[in-house]
Amino acid sequence: MSRNYYVAANWKMHKTRSEAVSLAKELVSALKDGKHKYLIVPGFTLLESVSAVLKGTNIRLGAQNCAFEEQGAHTGEVSVLQLKDLGVQTVILGHSERRHIYHEDNALINKKLRLALSHGFEVILCVGELLEERESGKAETVCETQITEGLKGVSADELKNVVVAYEPVWAIGTGKTATPEDADAIHAYIRKVIEKLFGGAAAQKMIIQYGGSVKPDNAATLMAKENIDGALVGGASLKAESFVPIAKF
Ligand code: PEP
């Protein structure tokens, strides 16, 4: 079954407003005839300015996180209502930096995911193992738990707005990439987990992005694999010259 490729730029905690607007403008112009689905995910303070640049284009706007409650006494958090107000369409949840630096667990990620889906957002659920988990043969089990617990309580209808990103933690920002074969094997396993939870048709439709040091010179080989349906790009998404070739692989 053919699935659309989906390429996302996660800018993490980089860029000021003027830098963000100028990169967003470059990407709008370079990707206007691009064949794939595209997403830019700037930091919260950049969302309003970037939203204005992306309006009416073929590039979606995403946020890097959201609070698990709709609104209230949550100092320092950002709510789905505030994100919607800025034109955000997609939320990344469970990124390894949220899991490992900010100690977000599967239960919290699941609360955020269900809230975001209930407000009509698309969610990119990130999963992936640590180096020691890979070396001890636990990569599949770790991803299975993160998927099963992350998607608890999600309906078949809501699942249509879920994208999974497989991001082995040891490959993020390190310059190390999973081999296309190893990545494809885990993607295939993740698809099986989705099949077990939601059935074969849903599993075939699920977009599973790969993330972890994706660069212009490795993007096409990774994307050529049967179960890799796009990329979540960090470092290489910070410049048009490195992101555009990935987005147009
Ligand atoms: C990411 O931020 O999700 C990521 C994969 O980063 P990088 O491309 O820098 O490894």
Side-chain angles (χ1 to χ4, degrees):
M1 159 168 194
S2 68
R3 290 175 290 268
N4 277 342
Y5 287 104
Y6 190 4
V7 185
N10 175 13
W11 290 353
K12 306 194 186 191
M13 198 171 68
H14 293 284
K15 305 210 178 280
T16 58
R17 276 182 303 171
S18 62
E19 291 165 349
V21 163
S22 110
L23 178 55
K25 284 182 178 165
E26 275 187 86
L27 296 179
V28 164
S29 140
L31 298 179
K32 62 178 186 302
D33 54 358
K35 302 191 296 288
H36 311 312
K37 180 176 171 182
Y38 302 119
L39 171 74
I40 294 179
V41 193
F44 291 127
T45 60
L46 310 172
L47 285 169
E48 184 165 15
S49 322
V50 174
S51 182
V53 178
L54 299 187
K55 203 168 181 200
T57 73
N58 62 340
I59 307 180
R60 301 170 65 87
L61 180 68
Q64 297 172 16
N65 192 14
C66 69
F68 73 89
E69 284 202 356
E70 208 165 76
Q71 58 189 325
H74 289 273
T75 304
E77 291 291 307
V78 177
S79 94
V80 284
L81 302 177
Q82 294 166 329
L83 296 178
K84 204 182 276 185
D85 191 39
L86 295 178
V88 170
Q89 297 152 294
T90 302
V91 184
I92 294 181
L93 293 172
H95 191 280
S96 67
E97 288 148 19
R98 299 302 316 170
R99 290 179 189 268
H100 299 292
I101 306 176
Y102 296 98
H103 310 295
E104 293 195 6
D105 62 13
N106 289 319
L108 176 64
I109 293 162
N110 176 251
K111 274 194 194 170
K112 293 180 175 197
L113 179 137
R114 287 164 65 179
L115 180 68
L117 290 176
S118 75
H119 281 271
F121 288 92
E122 174 183 77
V123 171
I124 299 182
L125 173 63
C126 302
V127 301
E129 79 286 356
L130 297 164
L131 184 58
E132 59 264 34
E133 292 166 336
R134 168 155 288 251
E135 286 173 345
S136 57
K138 292 191 192 127
E140 291 184 347
T141 337
V142 168
C143 293
E144 177 157 11
T145 305
Q146 291 175 344
I147 299 265
T148 308
E149 295 192 10
L151 296 180
K152 218 174 243 172
V154 169
S155 71
D157 201 42
E158 287 174 324
L159 190 76
K160 291 178 189 145
N161 284 326
V162 175
V163 170
V164 172
Y166 169 62
E167 302 204 303
V169 181
W170 48 271
I172 297 182
T174 58
K176 292 182 190 150
T177 324
T179 65
E181 291 68 32
D182 284 350
D184 191 50
I186 298 273
H187 281 230
Y189 187 81
I190 289 171
R191 210 175 291 290
K192 272 206 205 110
V193 174
I194 301 286
E195 181 171 351
K196 202 153 65 175
L197 297 171
F198 296 96
Q204 279 313 307
K205 282 190 201 131
M206 177 60 66
I207 301 295
I208 308 176
Q209 297 173 321
Y210 171 79
S213 300
V214 176
K215 308 278 181 238
D217 62 359
N218 61 20
T221 354
L222 284 159
M223 299 312 131
K225 290 292 171 192
E226 187 186 340
N227 287 289
I228 303 183
D229 309 314
L232 179 50
V233 186
S237 74
L238 297 173
K239 286 191 175 146
E241 69 202 50
S242 44
F243 186 66
V244 171
I246 299 174
K248 290 187 143 180
F249 73 90

